């Protein structure tokens, strides 16, 4: 495959040839946003899953320019942009890491593990409103849900498969749960620093807890990008990222910035911060964060928190706000691209949108957590 075909391919993703995503319950996928799994570590080994007929069939589809339904999340994001090859989809993000070996994509049976996305456990200190027990131990404890844990013996065995290939790894994405609290990450980082210190690392953290062993180990690496999850400030932050503390988070963020680390923001746009996300962006911009640091994802699941549950008149006001903001941003940067995606997203009708379902969801959450969403988001209920 030549470079032109590679970059402008309508279906190709590098991850089925080079990546792995491991979920806390043992589920293995090509990536975090893939719709269906390749297998589960409780039933098969990681190596067998990655070399399976299922993965070969996905790669075959891609080489035939067939957009496999497992990857619809990326294709849909790209369809919301004016330029599908220049979006914030996982597919496009990882293409820049896969160009070194274009011959890899000549055969669907090829596989060379170079990209890791490891969610060893669901350990997390927050229970973000749109998350759940699969990726948050805090959520799991709240719901008394024990399904999302992996057998320790199985975890050890499949860790070995990854650790044996540590010299070959080019990119590591650590998320969670909260990656600064997942103990296996310390083992992984220790081994990487010994054998592969120039590896590129991206960590997606809520930044609520720092200055522990994992945080300090990350400071030793030269190529670390800090992706910070936040999309609201003050009381809204503390509701959305329950039971987070805004002042503590903000202090950690500014301290990280003052150390001149590479930082961007992973922001989730939903019904709760439909308008206030712009105030959050303005706040961080005033702190000196560049417009290329803001990457905004439009939440579609759970559907009760989808921004399109708002009444049509509210959505029209949002569309106008976004439309007016787009010309003030640089087309080369992520904020501009995100705004275009946001505009196109709410311009796409949502089937069965119903704010009453949103209110019911929040009411149950309020009762369980002893919170008051009506007080935190008064304009939300002013319909």
């Amino acid at each position: 495959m030549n470079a032109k075909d590679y970059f402008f391919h309508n279906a190709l993703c590098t991850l089925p040839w080079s990546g792995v995503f491991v979920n806390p319950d043992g589920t293995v996928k090509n990536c975090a946003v893939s719709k269906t799994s390749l297998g589960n570590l409780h039933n098969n080994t990681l190596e067998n899953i990655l070399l399976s007929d299922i993965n070969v069939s996905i790669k075959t589809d891609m080489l035939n320019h067939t957009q496999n339904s497992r990857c619809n999340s990326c294709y849909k994001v790209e369809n919301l942009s004016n330029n599908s090859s220049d979006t914030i989809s996982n597919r496009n993000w990882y293409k820049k890491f896969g160009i070194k070996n274009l011959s890899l994509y000549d055969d669907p049976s090829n596989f060379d593990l170079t990209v890791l996305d490891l969610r060893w456990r669901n350990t997390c200190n927050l229970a973000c409103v749109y998350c759940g027990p699969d990726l948050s131990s805090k959520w799991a404890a709240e719901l008394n849900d024990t399904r999302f844990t992996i057998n320790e013996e199985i975890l050890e065995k499949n860790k070995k498969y990854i650790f044996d290939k540590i010299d070959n790894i080019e990119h590591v994405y650590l998320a969670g749960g909260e990656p600064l609290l997942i103990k296996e990450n310390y083992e992984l980082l220790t081994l990487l620093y010994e054998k592969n210190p120039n590896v590129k690392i991206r960590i997606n953290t809520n930044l609520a807890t720092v200055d522990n062993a994992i945080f300090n180990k990350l400071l030793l690496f030269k190529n670390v990008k800090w992706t910070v999850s936040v999309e609201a400030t003050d009381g809204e932050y503390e509701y959305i990222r329950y039971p987070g503390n805004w002042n503590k988070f903000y202090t950690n963020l500014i301290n990280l910035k003052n150390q001149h680390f590479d930082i961007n923001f992973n922001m989730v746009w939903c019904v709760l911060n439909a308008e206030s996300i712009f105030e959050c962006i303005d706040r961080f911009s005033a702190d000196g964060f560049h417009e290329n640091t803001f990457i905004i994802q439009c939440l579609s699941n759970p559907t009760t928190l989808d921004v399109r549950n708002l009444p049509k008149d509210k959505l029209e006001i949002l569309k106008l706000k976004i439309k007016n903001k787009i010309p003030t941003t640089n087309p080369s940067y992520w904020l501009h691209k995100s705004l275009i995606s946001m505009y196109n997203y709410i311009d796409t009708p949502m089937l069965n949108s119903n704010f009453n379902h949103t209110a019911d969801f929040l009411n149950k959450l309020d009762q369980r957590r002893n919170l008051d969403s009506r007080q935190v988001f008064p304009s939300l209920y002013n319909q």
Side-chain angles (χ1 to χ4, degrees):
M1 180 175 295
N2 62 50
K4 182 179 179 181
D5 289 342
Y6 173 80
F7 278 114
F8 293 99
H9 201 291
N10 72 318
L12 180 74
C13 175
T14 64
L15 294 179
W17 277 269
S18 61
V20 64
F21 166 87
V22 179
N23 219 33
D25 65 351
T27 300
V28 178
K29 299 181 181 181
N30 295 123
C31 81
V33 298
S34 180
K35 290 296 184 183
T36 51
S37 71
L38 299 172
N40 192 291
L41 298 181
H42 289 105
N43 305 319
N44 207 341
T45 66
L46 184 56
E47 182 175 16
N48 286 342
I49 292 171
L50 293 174
L51 301 179
S52 68
D53 291 342
I54 296 174
N55 202 27
V56 171
S57 70
I58 293 169
K59 290 182 277 189
T60 301
D61 279 350
M62 289 181 175
L63 292 180
N64 289 330
H65 292 269
T66 299
Q67 294 188 345
N68 192 288
S69 60
R70 294 168 179 267
C71 305
N72 277 347
S73 294
C74 281
Y75 300 138
K76 285 180 179 178
V77 168
E78 292 164 16
N79 288 338
L80 292 173
S81 171
N82 296 335
N83 181 359
S84 64
S85 64
D86 190 23
T87 66
I88 51 179
S89 71
N90 262 26
R91 186 173 86 99
N92 285 328
W93 174 272
Y94 282 106
K95 268 191 176 181
K96 60 187 175 184
F97 298 108
I99 193 169
K100 292 181 180 178
N101 182 15
L102 292 179
S103 63
L104 183 67
Y105 315 105
D106 291 340
D107 191 322
S109 65
N110 289 342
F111 187 82
D112 183 30
L113 184 62
T114 58
V115 176
L116 302 178
D117 183 345
L118 303 172
R119 325 282 172 101
W120 305 104
R121 302 175 187 273
N122 65 348
T123 306
C124 192
N125 50 347
L126 302 184
C128 299
V129 64
Y130 46 72
C131 194
D134 55 333
L135 294 176
S136 167
S137 56
K138 195 82 174 175
W139 256 109
E142 182 177 313
L143 299 178
N144 196 25
D145 189 337
T146 60
R147 292 174 297 162
F148 301 99
T149 55
I150 190 169
N151 178 283
E152 296 295 326
E153 185 178 338
I154 288 173
L155 178 58
E156 287 298 319
K157 181 170 65 175
N158 288 287
K159 251 172 35 179
K160 184 177 185 308
Y161 171 76
I162 292 171
F163 287 178
D164 285 347
K165 299 181 180 298
I166 211 75
D167 293 344
N168 196 49
I169 303 303
E170 297 177 3
H171 184 266
V172 176
Y173 180 46
L174 299 178
E178 170 47 45
L180 291 176
L181 300 177
I182 298 173
K183 62 182 183 179
E184 282 75 17
N185 286 342
Y186 183 77
E187 295 179 61
L188 175 67
L189 292 169
T190 299
L191 195 58
L192 281 168
Y193 191 68
E194 289 175 7
K195 299 188 174 183
N196 194 357
N198 294 319
V199 65
K200 291 181 174 62
I201 300 172
R202 182 163 62 107
I203 180 163
N204 194 333
T205 172
N206 60 42
L207 212 61
T209 301
V210 297
D211 199 25
N212 58 17
I214 298 172
F215 180 86
N216 291 330
K217 182 65 71 173
L218 280 163
L219 300 185
L220 300 177
F221 290 85
K222 297 178 181 178
N223 302 311
V224 179
K225 175 178 278 293
W226 294 83
T227 296
V228 179
S229 294
V230 60
E231 55 281 299
T233 65
D234 302 299
E236 289 193 10
Y237 166 90
E238 294 180 351
Y239 187 98
I240 293 173
R241 296 192 164 270
Y242 173 85
N245 180 300
W246 165 253
N247 290 330
K248 182 179 178 183
F249 163 81
Y250 187 67
T251 297
N252 292 341
L253 174 65
I254 298 304
N255 286 342
L256 195 69
K257 179 182 183 296
N258 289 341
Q259 295 179 68
H260 305 289
F261 289 114
D262 187 1
I263 302 171
N264 66 6
F265 295 107
N266 177 30
M267 312 183 86
V268 176
W269 191 44
C270 66
V271 69
L272 298 179
N273 64 340
E275 296 182 57
S276 62
I277 193 170
F278 304 106
E279 297 169 14
C280 182
I281 292 168
D282 290 343
R283 173 77 170 268
F284 293 148
S285 296
D287 289 324
F289 287 99
H290 192 274
E291 63 182 286
N292 202 37
T293 63
F294 300 102
I295 300 176
I296 305 168
Q297 311 285 348
C298 302
L299 182 76
S300 59
N301 185 44
T303 56
T304 50
L305 295 178
D306 192 309
V307 69
R308 295 173 299 177
N309 283 299
L310 291 173
K312 288 184 179 179
D313 60 329
K314 290 266 188 178
L315 292 176
E316 288 302 319
I317 292 172
L318 276 175
K319 283 172 63 177
L320 182 60
K321 184 173 187 127
I322 297 169
K323 185 177 181 180
N324 289 337
K325 195 169 184 65
I326 288 173
T328 69
T329 58
N330 189 318
S332 300
Y333 298 141
W334 285 120
L335 179 56
H336 181 93
K337 298 168 189 175
S338 295
L339 290 170
I340 290 174
S341 291
M342 292 163 71
Y343 184 91
N344 291 337
Y345 186 74
I346 56 174
D347 199 38
T348 305
M350 176 186 176
L351 294 175
N352 303 318
S353 63
N354 189 332
F355 182 74
N356 289 332
H357 294 163
T358 302
D360 288 343
F361 175 89
L362 295 175
N363 182 52
K364 291 175 183 176
L365 201 67
D366 287 350
Q367 291 181 25
R368 208 165 56 239
R369 297 180 174 179
N370 194 27
L371 300 174
D372 187 355
S373 58
R374 290 180 178 273
Q375 182 177 349
V376 180
F377 307 99
S379 63
L380 183 63
Y381 291 93
N382 253 345
Q383 308 292 354

